[in-house]
């Protein structure tokens, strides 16, 4: 499975990436972590990146693209990966498309963690306090001033990627304001819905990580992530609108009822009434369950 996690600083990308790598046995590639390691080791890249990072700016595209390209060639990439913090600009996304093509790799999905901006400062402050309490070194860019710069660069340079991947029918949006556990579950569910992971495997992993059965996901199939994802992917321009995404066809083939319904919701989106279709399907399931 190959995924990108997209979201502003403090959205929870790192936290969710950690959970996903355990769940699916894949590798996390965080350009922020890699760059911080380069800064600490005072490599030529680190020396170039140090001040830019401390000021909340973005390291030049060619540097991060080079880092990612090298990393994708490592043998531990074979099971898949989660990109966290990359791509961060449209040129980086285009470069990634080229790299993946050359390396014969296919991206499964881009998961956007959507959060209220007003919550971000609080989250980062909490992270700083927790790190201090654990005696860990705090990131130099985790101050209110630098955070506002990081947010501004997210808005202008990274947010256009939402449109970029939505047009390519790769975007899935999850409400990042829910609890950590809930967000993980939603991600598992939408990945199962598009056929990126086995529905059963996702549920099993959920049960393990949450320590309780995932009843809720069966009872409310369309309430949050999938429905939002459907809405977000309903208006692709041009060709994509006429042709259902490959992943959706794959999900339909997978044969599980859940996958089919979610997939239907997504393709149904191209007809313009995604939420209603998914909502009806959800009600039917609930009614059937009540009868049973
Ligand atoms: P954040 O919590 O802001 O998402 P990261 O740990 O992902 O933090 O990144 C920290 C810093 O590293 C960024 O502010 C930026 O300076 C640099 N950086 C990380 N990834 C990239 C990238 N893909 N392109 C350019 N700069 C990057």
């Amino acid at each position: 499975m190959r995924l990108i996690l997209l979201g502003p600083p403090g959205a929870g990308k790192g936290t969710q990436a950690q959970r996903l790598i355990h769940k699916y046995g894949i590798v996390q590639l965080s350009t922020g972590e890699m760059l911080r390691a380069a800064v600490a080791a005072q490599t030529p890249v680190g020396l170039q990146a140090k001040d830019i990072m401390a000021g909340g700016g973005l390291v030049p595209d060619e540097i991060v693209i080079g880092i990612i390209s090298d990393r994708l060639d490592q043998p531990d990439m074979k099971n898949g990966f989660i990109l966290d913090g990359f791509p961060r600009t449209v040129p980086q996304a285009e470069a990634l498309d080229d790299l993946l093509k050359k390396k014969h790799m296919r991206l499964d999905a881009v998961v956007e963690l959507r959060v209220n901006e007003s919550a971000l400062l609080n989250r980062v402050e909490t992270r700083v306090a927790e790190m201090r309490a654990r005696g860990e070194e705090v990131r130099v860019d985790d101050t209110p001033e630098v955070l506002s710069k990081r947010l501004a660069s997210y808005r202008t340079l990274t947010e256009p990627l939402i449109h970029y991947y939505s047009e390519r029918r790769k975007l899935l949006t999850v409400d990042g304001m829910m609890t950590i556990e809930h967000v993980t579950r939603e991600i598992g569910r939408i990945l199962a819905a598009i056929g990126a992971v086995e529905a059963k495997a996702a549920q099993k992993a959920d049960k393990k990580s949450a320590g309780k059965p995932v009843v809720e996901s069966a009872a409310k199939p369309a309430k949050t992530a999938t429905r939002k994802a459907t809405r977000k992917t309903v208006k692709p321009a041009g060709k994509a609108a006429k042709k259902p995404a490959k992943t959706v066809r794959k999900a339909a083939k997978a044969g599980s009822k859940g996958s089919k319904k979610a997939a239907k919701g997504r393709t149904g989106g191209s007809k313009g009434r995604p939420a209603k279709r998914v909502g009806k399907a959800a009600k039917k399931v609930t009614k059937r369950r009540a009868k049973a």
Side-chain angles (χ1 to χ4, degrees):
M1 180 171 48
R2 301 183 191 99
L3 288 184
I4 293 175
L5 284 183
L6 199 61
K13 300 184 297 289
T15 307
Q16 293 302 327
Q18 276 305 311
R19 298 179 136 235
L20 292 168
I21 59 174
H22 289 120
K23 223 164 154 180
Y24 303 115
I26 52 180
V27 176
Q28 176 191 9
L29 301 187
S30 158
T31 39
E33 294 288 326
M34 292 180 202
L35 289 167
R36 277 189 286 278
V39 171
Q42 301 190 334
T43 65
V45 164
L47 293 176
Q48 241 181 302
K50 190 176 178 191
D51 292 341
I52 303 174
M53 291 173 74
L58 288 192
V59 174
D61 286 344
E62 56 278 15
I63 293 184
V64 279
I65 292 165
I67 295 178
I68 288 291
S69 174
D70 291 347
R71 194 61 187 84
L72 290 178
D73 289 333
Q74 310 281 312
D76 61 344
M77 291 294 113
K78 67 175 189 316
N79 281 342
F81 53 78
I82 301 176
L83 288 169
D84 155 17
F86 181 91
R88 235 181 175 92
T89 62
V90 170
Q92 287 181 18
E94 288 166 347
L96 178 66
D97 283 347
D98 289 346
L99 281 177
L100 293 177
K101 210 171 174 186
K102 271 189 213 137
K103 297 178 201 292
H104 306 290
M105 293 173 168
R106 200 183 139 272
L107 190 66
D108 289 295
V110 177
V111 177
E112 179 207 359
L113 296 179
R114 187 162 284 196
V115 283
N116 298 343
E117 250 189 41
S118 56
L120 296 176
L121 178 62
N122 241 338
R123 283 192 181 187
V124 172
E125 280 174 348
T126 308
R127 175 164 79 192
V128 169
E130 284 170 357
M131 287 177 87
R132 283 220 173 94
R134 287 196 299 264
E136 290 168 13
E137 207 176 308
V138 172
R139 278 171 53 170
V140 287
D141 58 349
D142 268 351
T143 63
E145 300 74 39
V146 182
L147 181 67
S148 71
K149 283 195 193 143
R150 282 157 62 199
L151 267 176
S153 85
Y154 177 81
R155 259 182 249 122
T156 51
L157 297 165
T158 312
E159 231 167 40
L161 294 181
I162 292 172
H163 178 68
Y164 183 93
Y165 287 115
S166 167
E167 265 197 329
R168 284 157 182 78
R169 318 262 308 154
K170 293 283 181 201
L171 191 77
L172 302 169
T173 298
V174 170
D175 177 5
M177 297 303 291
M178 299 184 291
T179 63
I180 293 176
E181 190 58 53
H182 226 103
V183 174
T184 312
R185 234 188 279 177
E186 283 297 327
I187 295 176
R189 195 163 75 185
I190 56 174
L191 292 179
I194 62 159
V197 292
E198 290 279 327
K200 274 187 192 160
Q203 287 200 353
K204 244 189 212 167
D206 265 343
K207 278 184 197 169
K208 252 196 223 163
S209 65
K212 49 187 170 189
V214 204
V215 182
E216 194 190 342
S217 64
K220 298 185 210 161
K223 211 167 176 185
T224 48
T226 315
R227 193 192 267 183
K228 268 196 183 156
T230 311
R231 245 191 253 137
K232 286 205 68 56
T233 49
V234 289
K235 292 175 257 165
K239 273 188 216 161
K242 289 175 201 138
K243 215 167 72 173
K246 262 189 204 157
T247 41
V248 174
R249 270 184 263 130
K250 207 166 144 195
K253 259 194 221 161
S256 92
K257 274 188 189 171
S259 309
K260 271 189 187 165
K261 282 209 175 98
K264 212 173 169 188
R266 240 178 140 215
T267 39
S270 59
K271 287 177 195 145
R273 295 194 316 266
K276 206 171 168 191
R277 290 170 66 98
V278 179
K280 268 189 185 168
K283 268 184 207 156
K284 266 189 198 167
V285 173
T286 321
K287 265 191 191 167
R288 239 185 282 138
R289 268 166 202 275
K291 268 190 195 167

